[in-house]
Short mmCIF file of all heavy atoms in Angstrom, two decimals:
data_model
loop_
_atom_site.label_atom_id
_atom_site.label_comp_id
_atom_site.label_asym_id
_atom_site.label_seq_id
_atom_site.Cartn_x
_atom_site.Cartn_y
_atom_site.Cartn_z
N MET A 19 2.16 9.21 10.37
CA MET A 19 1.21 9.97 9.58
C MET A 19 -0.11 9.27 9.63
O MET A 19 -0.21 8.05 9.49
CB MET A 19 1.69 10.13 8.18
CG MET A 19 0.71 10.80 7.26
SD MET A 19 1.32 11.24 5.62
CE MET A 19 2.03 9.81 4.98
N THR A 20 -1.21 10.03 9.81
CA THR A 20 -2.54 9.49 9.83
C THR A 20 -3.30 10.01 8.58
O THR A 20 -3.37 11.19 8.33
CB THR A 20 -3.32 9.95 11.09
OG1 THR A 20 -2.57 9.51 12.23
CG2 THR A 20 -4.70 9.33 11.13
N ILE A 21 -3.89 9.08 7.84
CA ILE A 21 -4.63 9.40 6.67
C ILE A 21 -6.03 8.78 6.79
O ILE A 21 -6.13 7.62 7.13
CB ILE A 21 -3.98 8.83 5.38
CG1 ILE A 21 -2.56 9.35 5.23
CG2 ILE A 21 -4.77 9.14 4.13
CD1 ILE A 21 -1.76 8.72 4.14
N PRO A 22 -7.13 9.55 6.58
CA PRO A 22 -8.44 8.95 6.68
C PRO A 22 -8.60 7.89 5.62
O PRO A 22 -8.19 8.04 4.45
CB PRO A 22 -9.38 10.11 6.44
CG PRO A 22 -8.58 11.24 5.95
CD PRO A 22 -7.15 10.97 6.25
N CYS A 23 -9.13 6.76 5.99
CA CYS A 23 -9.23 5.56 5.11
C CYS A 23 -10.36 5.66 4.11
O CYS A 23 -10.36 5.03 3.05
CB CYS A 23 -9.35 4.31 5.96
SG CYS A 23 -9.17 2.78 5.10
N ALA A 24 -11.42 6.44 4.44
CA ALA A 24 -12.62 6.49 3.54
C ALA A 24 -12.25 6.99 2.19
O ALA A 24 -11.63 8.02 1.99
CB ALA A 24 -13.64 7.39 4.21
N GLY A 25 -12.61 6.21 1.18
CA GLY A 25 -12.40 6.61 -0.19
C GLY A 25 -11.02 6.31 -0.77
O GLY A 25 -10.78 6.49 -1.95
N LEU A 26 -10.14 5.76 0.02
CA LEU A 26 -8.80 5.46 -0.47
C LEU A 26 -8.78 4.12 -1.19
O LEU A 26 -9.51 3.20 -0.83
CB LEU A 26 -7.75 5.45 0.65
CG LEU A 26 -7.48 6.77 1.32
CD1 LEU A 26 -6.43 6.59 2.43
CD2 LEU A 26 -6.95 7.79 0.32
N VAL A 27 -7.94 4.01 -2.20
CA VAL A 27 -7.77 2.76 -2.91
C VAL A 27 -6.29 2.50 -3.02
O VAL A 27 -5.45 3.41 -2.83
CB VAL A 27 -8.41 2.78 -4.34
CG1 VAL A 27 -9.91 2.88 -4.27
CG2 VAL A 27 -7.85 3.94 -5.15
N ARG A 28 -5.93 1.26 -3.36
CA ARG A 28 -4.50 0.88 -3.47
C ARG A 28 -4.25 0.17 -4.79
O ARG A 28 -5.20 -0.39 -5.39
CB ARG A 28 -4.06 0.03 -2.29
CG ARG A 28 -4.69 -1.35 -2.30
CD ARG A 28 -4.03 -2.23 -1.26
NE ARG A 28 -4.76 -3.50 -1.13
CZ ARG A 28 -4.48 -4.57 -1.92
NH1 ARG A 28 -3.56 -4.50 -2.84
NH2 ARG A 28 -5.15 -5.70 -1.76
N SER A 29 -3.04 0.16 -5.18
CA SER A 29 -2.62 -0.61 -6.38
C SER A 29 -2.40 -2.07 -5.95
O SER A 29 -2.44 -2.39 -4.75
CB SER A 29 -1.33 -0.01 -6.94
OG SER A 29 -0.30 -0.19 -6.03
N GLU A 30 -2.12 -2.91 -6.91
CA GLU A 30 -1.70 -4.26 -6.62
C GLU A 30 -0.38 -4.25 -5.85
O GLU A 30 0.43 -3.34 -5.99
CB GLU A 30 -1.52 -5.08 -7.89
CG GLU A 30 -2.83 -5.33 -8.63
CD GLU A 30 -3.76 -6.29 -7.93
OE1 GLU A 30 -3.30 -7.14 -7.12
OE2 GLU A 30 -4.97 -6.16 -8.14
N ILE A 31 -0.15 -5.24 -5.02
CA ILE A 31 1.07 -5.35 -4.24
C ILE A 31 2.20 -5.81 -5.18
O ILE A 31 2.05 -6.76 -5.96
CB ILE A 31 0.94 -6.35 -3.10
CG1 ILE A 31 -0.08 -5.85 -2.09
CG2 ILE A 31 2.29 -6.59 -2.38
CD1 ILE A 31 -0.46 -6.85 -1.04
N LYS A 32 3.32 -5.08 -5.15
CA LYS A 32 4.50 -5.43 -5.90
C LYS A 32 5.49 -6.14 -4.96
O LYS A 32 5.96 -5.55 -4.04
CB LYS A 32 5.15 -4.23 -6.55
CG LYS A 32 4.29 -3.57 -7.59
CD LYS A 32 5.05 -2.42 -8.25
CE LYS A 32 4.15 -1.81 -9.30
NZ LYS A 32 4.79 -0.65 -9.92
N GLU A 33 5.73 -7.40 -5.23
CA GLU A 33 6.66 -8.19 -4.43
C GLU A 33 8.07 -8.08 -4.99
O GLU A 33 8.28 -8.18 -6.18
CB GLU A 33 6.22 -9.69 -4.45
CG GLU A 33 4.87 -9.94 -3.80
CD GLU A 33 4.99 -10.00 -2.31
OE1 GLU A 33 6.07 -10.01 -1.71
OE2 GLU A 33 3.88 -10.02 -1.67
N ARG A 34 9.00 -7.85 -4.11
CA ARG A 34 10.41 -7.84 -4.48
C ARG A 34 11.17 -8.79 -3.56
O ARG A 34 10.62 -9.26 -2.58
CB ARG A 34 10.93 -6.39 -4.38
CG ARG A 34 10.34 -5.53 -5.45
CD ARG A 34 10.92 -4.11 -5.35
NE ARG A 34 10.14 -3.21 -6.17
CZ ARG A 34 9.01 -2.64 -5.86
NH1 ARG A 34 8.43 -2.90 -4.68
NH2 ARG A 34 8.41 -1.83 -6.65
N LEU A 35 12.45 -8.97 -3.80
CA LEU A 35 13.24 -9.92 -3.00
C LEU A 35 13.35 -9.42 -1.56
O LEU A 35 13.15 -10.23 -0.62
CB LEU A 35 14.66 -10.00 -3.61
CG LEU A 35 15.55 -10.99 -2.95
CD1 LEU A 35 14.97 -12.42 -2.99
CD2 LEU A 35 16.90 -11.00 -3.62
N LEU A 36 13.64 -8.14 -1.31
CA LEU A 36 13.85 -7.65 0.04
C LEU A 36 12.69 -6.78 0.58
O LEU A 36 12.73 -6.43 1.76
CB LEU A 36 15.14 -6.84 0.12
CG LEU A 36 16.41 -7.64 -0.18
CD1 LEU A 36 17.61 -6.72 -0.20
CD2 LEU A 36 16.58 -8.76 0.81
N ASN A 37 11.75 -6.44 -0.25
CA ASN A 37 10.62 -5.63 0.23
C ASN A 37 9.42 -5.79 -0.67
O ASN A 37 9.47 -6.51 -1.67
CB ASN A 37 10.99 -4.15 0.37
CG ASN A 37 11.40 -3.52 -0.95
OD1 ASN A 37 10.85 -3.86 -1.99
ND2 ASN A 37 12.35 -2.61 -0.92
N SER A 38 8.33 -5.17 -0.28
CA SER A 38 7.11 -5.15 -1.12
C SER A 38 6.50 -3.78 -1.00
O SER A 38 6.80 -3.03 -0.07
CB SER A 38 6.14 -6.25 -0.72
OG SER A 38 5.74 -6.09 0.60
N SER A 39 5.65 -3.42 -1.89
CA SER A 39 5.07 -2.04 -1.87
C SER A 39 3.73 -2.01 -2.59
O SER A 39 3.37 -2.92 -3.34
CB SER A 39 6.01 -1.04 -2.47
OG SER A 39 6.12 -1.26 -3.89
N PHE A 40 2.96 -0.96 -2.31
CA PHE A 40 1.80 -0.62 -3.09
C PHE A 40 1.57 0.89 -2.97
O PHE A 40 2.14 1.55 -2.12
CB PHE A 40 0.52 -1.42 -2.70
CG PHE A 40 0.17 -1.34 -1.22
CD1 PHE A 40 -0.55 -0.24 -0.71
CD2 PHE A 40 0.48 -2.36 -0.37
CE1 PHE A 40 -0.93 -0.19 0.60
CE2 PHE A 40 0.09 -2.31 0.96
CZ PHE A 40 -0.61 -1.25 1.45
N VAL A 41 0.77 1.44 -3.88
CA VAL A 41 0.54 2.87 -3.92
C VAL A 41 -0.88 3.08 -3.41
O VAL A 41 -1.85 2.46 -3.86
CB VAL A 41 0.67 3.39 -5.36
CG1 VAL A 41 0.31 4.90 -5.40
CG2 VAL A 41 2.09 3.19 -5.87
N VAL A 42 -1.05 3.99 -2.47
CA VAL A 42 -2.33 4.41 -1.93
C VAL A 42 -2.73 5.74 -2.48
O VAL A 42 -1.93 6.68 -2.52
CB VAL A 42 -2.27 4.46 -0.38
CG1 VAL A 42 -3.60 4.94 0.17
CG2 VAL A 42 -1.89 3.15 0.21
N SER A 43 -3.96 5.83 -3.02
CA SER A 43 -4.36 7.10 -3.61
C SER A 43 -5.86 7.30 -3.35
O SER A 43 -6.62 6.39 -3.02
CB SER A 43 -4.04 7.12 -5.10
OG SER A 43 -4.74 6.09 -5.75
N SER A 44 -6.31 8.50 -3.63
CA SER A 44 -7.71 8.89 -3.56
C SER A 44 -8.23 8.97 -4.98
O SER A 44 -7.51 9.45 -5.88
CB SER A 44 -7.83 10.26 -2.85
OG SER A 44 -9.13 10.75 -2.97
N PRO A 45 -9.47 8.58 -5.19
CA PRO A 45 -10.02 8.65 -6.56
C PRO A 45 -10.06 10.08 -7.12
O PRO A 45 -10.01 10.30 -8.31
CB PRO A 45 -11.43 8.09 -6.41
CG PRO A 45 -11.43 7.30 -5.17
CD PRO A 45 -10.37 7.95 -4.29
N GLU A 46 -10.13 11.09 -6.22
CA GLU A 46 -10.21 12.51 -6.68
C GLU A 46 -8.82 13.05 -7.03
O GLU A 46 -8.73 14.11 -7.66
CB GLU A 46 -10.81 13.36 -5.57
CG GLU A 46 -12.22 13.02 -5.22
CD GLU A 46 -12.27 12.03 -4.05
OE1 GLU A 46 -11.44 12.08 -3.19
OE2 GLU A 46 -13.16 11.16 -4.11
N SER A 47 -7.75 12.38 -6.65
CA SER A 47 -6.42 12.90 -6.88
C SER A 47 -5.64 12.03 -7.83
O SER A 47 -5.78 10.79 -7.83
CB SER A 47 -5.69 12.94 -5.50
OG SER A 47 -4.33 13.34 -5.68
N GLU A 48 -4.79 12.64 -8.60
CA GLU A 48 -3.93 11.90 -9.51
C GLU A 48 -2.65 11.43 -8.81
O GLU A 48 -1.96 10.54 -9.34
CB GLU A 48 -3.57 12.76 -10.72
CG GLU A 48 -4.73 13.11 -11.60
CD GLU A 48 -4.33 13.91 -12.81
OE1 GLU A 48 -3.14 14.06 -13.08
OE2 GLU A 48 -5.27 14.46 -13.47
N GLN A 49 -2.36 12.00 -7.71
CA GLN A 49 -1.16 11.63 -6.96
C GLN A 49 -1.45 10.62 -5.89
O GLN A 49 -2.57 10.56 -5.36
CB GLN A 49 -0.52 12.86 -6.30
CG GLN A 49 -0.03 13.89 -7.33
CD GLN A 49 0.61 15.07 -6.61
OE1 GLN A 49 0.56 15.21 -5.41
NE2 GLN A 49 1.23 15.91 -7.40
N GLY A 50 -0.47 9.79 -5.58
CA GLY A 50 -0.64 8.76 -4.58
C GLY A 50 0.68 8.71 -3.72
O GLY A 50 1.64 9.39 -4.01
N ARG A 51 0.59 7.87 -2.72
CA ARG A 51 1.79 7.68 -1.85
C ARG A 51 2.18 6.23 -1.90
O ARG A 51 1.40 5.32 -1.69
CB ARG A 51 1.44 8.04 -0.40
CG ARG A 51 1.06 9.46 -0.16
CD ARG A 51 2.31 10.31 -0.18
NE ARG A 51 1.97 11.68 0.12
CZ ARG A 51 2.36 12.69 -0.62
NH1 ARG A 51 3.10 12.54 -1.68
NH2 ARG A 51 2.04 13.90 -0.25
N LYS A 52 3.45 5.99 -2.20
CA LYS A 52 3.93 4.66 -2.25
C LYS A 52 4.38 4.26 -0.89
O LYS A 52 5.18 4.98 -0.22
CB LYS A 52 5.16 4.58 -3.20
CG LYS A 52 5.72 3.19 -3.41
CD LYS A 52 6.82 3.22 -4.43
CE LYS A 52 7.25 1.78 -4.85
NZ LYS A 52 8.27 1.83 -5.89
N ILE A 53 3.91 3.14 -0.41
CA ILE A 53 4.25 2.61 0.89
C ILE A 53 5.10 1.36 0.68
O ILE A 53 4.69 0.44 0.00
CB ILE A 53 3.01 2.26 1.72
CG1 ILE A 53 2.12 3.53 1.86
CG2 ILE A 53 3.42 1.75 3.09
CD1 ILE A 53 0.80 3.22 2.59
N ILE A 54 6.30 1.36 1.26
CA ILE A 54 7.26 0.27 1.09
C ILE A 54 7.39 -0.46 2.45
O ILE A 54 7.59 0.13 3.50
CB ILE A 54 8.65 0.78 0.66
CG1 ILE A 54 8.49 1.53 -0.66
CG2 ILE A 54 9.64 -0.38 0.56
CD1 ILE A 54 9.77 2.22 -1.10
N PHE A 55 7.26 -1.79 2.39
CA PHE A 55 7.35 -2.63 3.56
C PHE A 55 8.58 -3.53 3.48
O PHE A 55 8.78 -4.15 2.43
CB PHE A 55 6.10 -3.50 3.67
CG PHE A 55 4.83 -2.75 3.86
CD1 PHE A 55 4.11 -2.31 2.76
CD2 PHE A 55 4.35 -2.45 5.12
CE1 PHE A 55 2.96 -1.58 2.92
CE2 PHE A 55 3.20 -1.73 5.28
CZ PHE A 55 2.47 -1.29 4.16
N PRO A 56 9.36 -3.63 4.51
CA PRO A 56 10.53 -4.53 4.51
C PRO A 56 10.06 -6.00 4.57
O PRO A 56 8.88 -6.27 4.84
CB PRO A 56 11.28 -4.14 5.78
CG PRO A 56 10.24 -3.58 6.68
CD PRO A 56 9.25 -2.91 5.79
N LEU A 57 10.96 -6.86 4.30
CA LEU A 57 10.64 -8.29 4.28
C LEU A 57 9.97 -8.75 5.57
O LEU A 57 9.02 -9.53 5.54
CB LEU A 57 11.94 -9.11 4.04
CG LEU A 57 11.79 -10.60 3.92
CD1 LEU A 57 10.92 -10.98 2.70
CD2 LEU A 57 13.16 -11.26 3.80
N VAL A 58 10.44 -8.26 6.72
CA VAL A 58 9.89 -8.68 8.00
C VAL A 58 8.56 -7.98 8.29
O VAL A 58 7.88 -8.30 9.28
CB VAL A 58 10.87 -8.40 9.17
CG1 VAL A 58 12.12 -9.26 8.99
CG2 VAL A 58 11.20 -6.95 9.25
N GLY A 59 8.08 -7.08 7.43
CA GLY A 59 6.85 -6.37 7.67
C GLY A 59 5.71 -6.87 6.83
O GLY A 59 4.69 -6.18 6.65
N ARG A 60 5.73 -8.09 6.35
CA ARG A 60 4.67 -8.64 5.50
C ARG A 60 3.35 -8.74 6.24
O ARG A 60 2.29 -8.49 5.65
CB ARG A 60 5.05 -10.02 4.95
CG ARG A 60 6.33 -10.06 4.15
CD ARG A 60 6.16 -9.37 2.81
NE ARG A 60 7.43 -9.06 2.22
CZ ARG A 60 7.83 -9.49 1.07
NH1 ARG A 60 7.08 -10.25 0.34
NH2 ARG A 60 9.00 -9.14 0.60
N LYS A 61 3.38 -9.09 7.54
CA LYS A 61 2.13 -9.17 8.30
C LYS A 61 1.42 -7.83 8.35
O LYS A 61 0.20 -7.71 8.11
CB LYS A 61 2.39 -9.70 9.73
CG LYS A 61 1.19 -9.83 10.55
CD LYS A 61 1.50 -10.24 11.96
CE LYS A 61 0.24 -10.25 12.80
NZ LYS A 61 0.54 -10.20 14.23
N GLU A 62 2.18 -6.78 8.65
CA GLU A 62 1.59 -5.44 8.71
C GLU A 62 1.11 -4.98 7.34
O GLU A 62 0.06 -4.35 7.20
CB GLU A 62 2.61 -4.46 9.26
CG GLU A 62 2.94 -4.64 10.72
CD GLU A 62 4.00 -5.72 10.98
OE1 GLU A 62 4.49 -6.31 10.00
OE2 GLU A 62 4.25 -6.01 12.18
N ARG A 63 1.91 -5.30 6.30
CA ARG A 63 1.47 -4.97 4.92
C ARG A 63 0.14 -5.61 4.58
O ARG A 63 -0.75 -4.95 4.07
CB ARG A 63 2.55 -5.47 3.93
CG ARG A 63 2.16 -5.09 2.49
CD ARG A 63 2.66 -6.06 1.47
NE ARG A 63 2.16 -7.41 1.68
CZ ARG A 63 2.71 -8.48 1.11
NH1 ARG A 63 3.77 -8.34 0.35
NH2 ARG A 63 2.22 -9.67 1.32
N ASN A 64 -0.02 -6.87 4.94
CA ASN A 64 -1.29 -7.54 4.63
C ASN A 64 -2.47 -6.97 5.39
O ASN A 64 -3.56 -6.89 4.85
CB ASN A 64 -1.13 -9.08 4.96
CG ASN A 64 -0.17 -9.73 4.01
OD1 ASN A 64 0.12 -9.24 2.90
ND2 ASN A 64 0.33 -10.89 4.45
N GLU A 65 -2.23 -6.52 6.60
CA GLU A 65 -3.30 -5.93 7.41
C GLU A 65 -3.73 -4.61 6.78
O GLU A 65 -4.94 -4.32 6.66
CB GLU A 65 -2.86 -5.70 8.83
CG GLU A 65 -2.67 -6.98 9.62
CD GLU A 65 -2.11 -6.77 11.01
OE1 GLU A 65 -1.75 -5.63 11.37
OE2 GLU A 65 -1.93 -7.77 11.71
N ILE A 66 -2.79 -3.78 6.37
CA ILE A 66 -3.09 -2.48 5.76
C ILE A 66 -3.75 -2.71 4.40
O ILE A 66 -4.75 -2.08 4.04
CB ILE A 66 -1.85 -1.60 5.66
CG1 ILE A 66 -1.34 -1.24 7.04
CG2 ILE A 66 -2.10 -0.34 4.80
CD1 ILE A 66 -0.01 -0.58 7.08
N ALA A 67 -3.23 -3.63 3.60
CA ALA A 67 -3.77 -3.89 2.29
C ALA A 67 -5.18 -4.41 2.37
O ALA A 67 -6.03 -4.09 1.53
CB ALA A 67 -2.87 -4.90 1.57
N ALA A 68 -5.52 -5.21 3.38
CA ALA A 68 -6.85 -5.74 3.58
C ALA A 68 -7.86 -4.63 3.89
O ALA A 68 -9.04 -4.75 3.57
CB ALA A 68 -6.87 -6.77 4.66
N ALA A 69 -7.41 -3.53 4.47
CA ALA A 69 -8.29 -2.41 4.81
C ALA A 69 -8.63 -1.51 3.67
O ALA A 69 -9.56 -0.73 3.72
CB ALA A 69 -7.69 -1.58 5.95
N LEU A 70 -7.91 -1.65 2.55
CA LEU A 70 -8.13 -0.81 1.38
C LEU A 70 -8.56 -1.64 0.19
O LEU A 70 -8.03 -2.72 -0.04
CB LEU A 70 -6.83 -0.07 1.02
CG LEU A 70 -6.26 0.86 2.11
CD1 LEU A 70 -4.86 1.31 1.74
CD2 LEU A 70 -7.18 2.03 2.33
N SER A 71 -9.49 -1.13 -0.62
CA SER A 71 -9.86 -1.84 -1.80
C SER A 71 -8.89 -1.60 -2.94
O SER A 71 -8.20 -0.55 -2.92
CB SER A 71 -11.29 -1.44 -2.24
OG SER A 71 -11.33 -0.05 -2.50
N VAL A 72 -8.77 -2.53 -3.82
CA VAL A 72 -7.83 -2.42 -4.95
C VAL A 72 -8.50 -1.54 -6.01
O VAL A 72 -9.67 -1.70 -6.36
CB VAL A 72 -7.54 -3.80 -5.54
CG1 VAL A 72 -6.60 -3.71 -6.76
CG2 VAL A 72 -6.91 -4.69 -4.47
N ALA A 73 -7.70 -0.61 -6.51
CA ALA A 73 -8.23 0.29 -7.58
C ALA A 73 -8.54 -0.53 -8.84
O ALA A 73 -7.82 -1.45 -9.15
CB ALA A 73 -7.14 1.36 -7.91
N GLY A 74 -9.61 -0.19 -9.46
CA GLY A 74 -9.96 -1.05 -10.57
C GLY A 74 -10.30 -0.24 -11.74
O GLY A 74 -10.48 -0.48 -12.84
#
């Protein structure tokens, strides 16, 4: 799935034993998408998280 990055924000990263996740949303929308990364996907998670600002 491709989502335009402009204007998107993310929640803080939630670390778990076997995975981690964050929610990506648009400031205009109340709904977001939770993205879950497996333990071996931490590098990819960090790359995606770095591209999005944290909602504040």
